[in-house]
Amino acid sequence: EIPVSELGGDQQVVAVHATTSRPKVTVLKDGPTKSEPKSGGGVIQVGRQGNPLFNEALVAIADKDLYSRTSPVNDAELFRKYALTPELATLIDVLVFGDPAGGEDEGGIPDDRLTDRTDIAGIFIPDTIKVDLSTDDARLTGATEDSGFSRLGIFGGDVLTSSVQTGFFGNGTVPGGWPNGRRFGDDVIDIAVFALANDLRDPANPIIDIDADGIDNVSANDSLYNKVFPYASTPHNGRNYEANVLYNNPGLPAQP
């Protein structure tokens, strides 16, 4: 909860992250005097989450645990290098576009987009979900989508204008969804891949055309979201959901 009195003027960009902690010490006692585990010594952070995919896709394996133990205040020192030179962009260039590493680009990601990615660092460093409260209302998806909504956000032309930030292109233009907040319906996988393959530092650079139906072949949720609370769609019934029924009853005929 943020007091309304602390918002306003140029203080209108809110950033949040979440952490998971466990007891620092757990004592297990076995044998004749076996008892319930006892915890003590305070708690220790074992995980955190800010933007989707940063630790999972950009931070090297050697530093993933370090990321989980640290705070966003240390991100610039410890993890900025992974945003500036995202290995995933090179892998996408090779695997998606068939461009050999260090070779000539023929329809792939230009080599100058593989390093010094200050635009990617601007999204992920520090790794917090940031939302600009100075814009008009974000467009939402639901049974009927607001005009202009795009699951691809800025890459689908779904943008807003900020009065407190220079924006992605220096004119106050910010995404209508993630990484400006995160709406239900934002296709974060596709947005992240588009961001790596393109260049948000210079709108004059051509946008690389990646299959708009979805990088991962998933371009929509299988249930509708709500435009009012609760915004999430109704969860599937864990017992009767079709996939679960088939998994637990392999003798049933496959459904169309």
Side-chain angles (χ1 to χ4, degrees):
E1 296 182 359
I2 301 174
V4 173
S5 60
E6 294 186 12
L7 301 176
D10 61 352
Q11 303 295 311
Q12 295 195 58
V13 179
V14 176
V16 298
H17 75 287
T19 61
T20 303
S21 299
R22 63 166 176 78
K24 184 177 292 187
V25 178
T26 300
V27 178
L28 305 175
K29 193 173 184 180
D30 205 350
T33 59
K34 181 178 180 180
S35 62
E36 293 295 319
K38 295 182 179 180
S39 301
V43 297
I44 184 171
Q45 180 179 306
V46 295
R48 67 175 164 112
Q49 181 69 58
N51 287 287
L53 304 175
F54 179 58
N55 191 32
E56 296 85 346
L58 296 187
V59 176
I61 292 177
D63 280 338
K64 289 188 187 298
D65 287 343
L66 177 63
Y67 169 91
S68 296
R69 296 194 302 266
T70 53
S71 169
V73 297
N74 304 118
D75 285 349
E77 174 187 0
L78 299 175
F79 308 115
R80 182 178 174 83
K81 59 186 178 182
Y82 295 123
L84 287 175
T85 307
E87 183 181 16
L88 184 57
T90 299
L91 294 175
I92 291 171
D93 196 24
V94 174
L95 298 176
V96 176
F97 299 109
D99 185 35
E104 293 295 325
D105 288 292
E106 295 181 1
I109 301 175
D111 289 342
D112 62 0
R113 297 186 190 179
L114 302 178
T115 59
D116 194 30
R117 292 301 301 268
T118 54
D119 55 328
I120 301 301
I123 293 172
F124 289 109
I125 305 297
D127 188 25
T128 56
I129 285 281
K130 311 168 190 72
V131 61
D132 190 323
L133 303 179
S134 75
T135 68
D136 291 336
D137 292 344
R139 304 172 184 90
L140 303 177
T141 185
T144 58
E145 291 182 346
D146 290 345
S147 176
F149 172 86
S150 172
R151 67 180 179 83
L152 296 177
I154 194 170
F155 295 110
D158 186 350
V159 296
L160 298 169
T161 301
S162 169
S163 63
V164 296
Q165 296 188 88
T166 56
F168 275 71
F169 304 134
N171 59 0
T173 298
V174 296
W178 185 71
N180 177 29
R182 181 178 178 181
R183 305 169 297 183
F184 285 112
D186 283 343
D187 194 332
V188 297
I189 298 290
D190 284 5
I191 293 172
V193 172
F194 268 75
L196 288 171
N198 292 283
D199 194 336
L200 291 171
R201 298 167 294 183
D202 183 1
N205 274 336
I207 298 297
I208 291 178
D209 184 19
I210 302 176
D211 187 359
D213 288 333
I215 302 301
D216 50 6
N217 294 321
V218 177
S219 57
N221 195 38
D222 57 356
S223 296
L224 294 176
Y225 296 114
N226 304 310
K227 289 187 178 181
V228 296
F229 185 85
Y231 299 97
S233 54
T234 302
H236 293 298
N237 185 309
R239 291 182 179 274
N240 300 325
Y241 183 45
E242 180 178 299
N244 199 29
V245 171
L246 290 174
Y247 178 80
N248 290 299
N249 298 276
L252 292 177
Q255 301 297 308

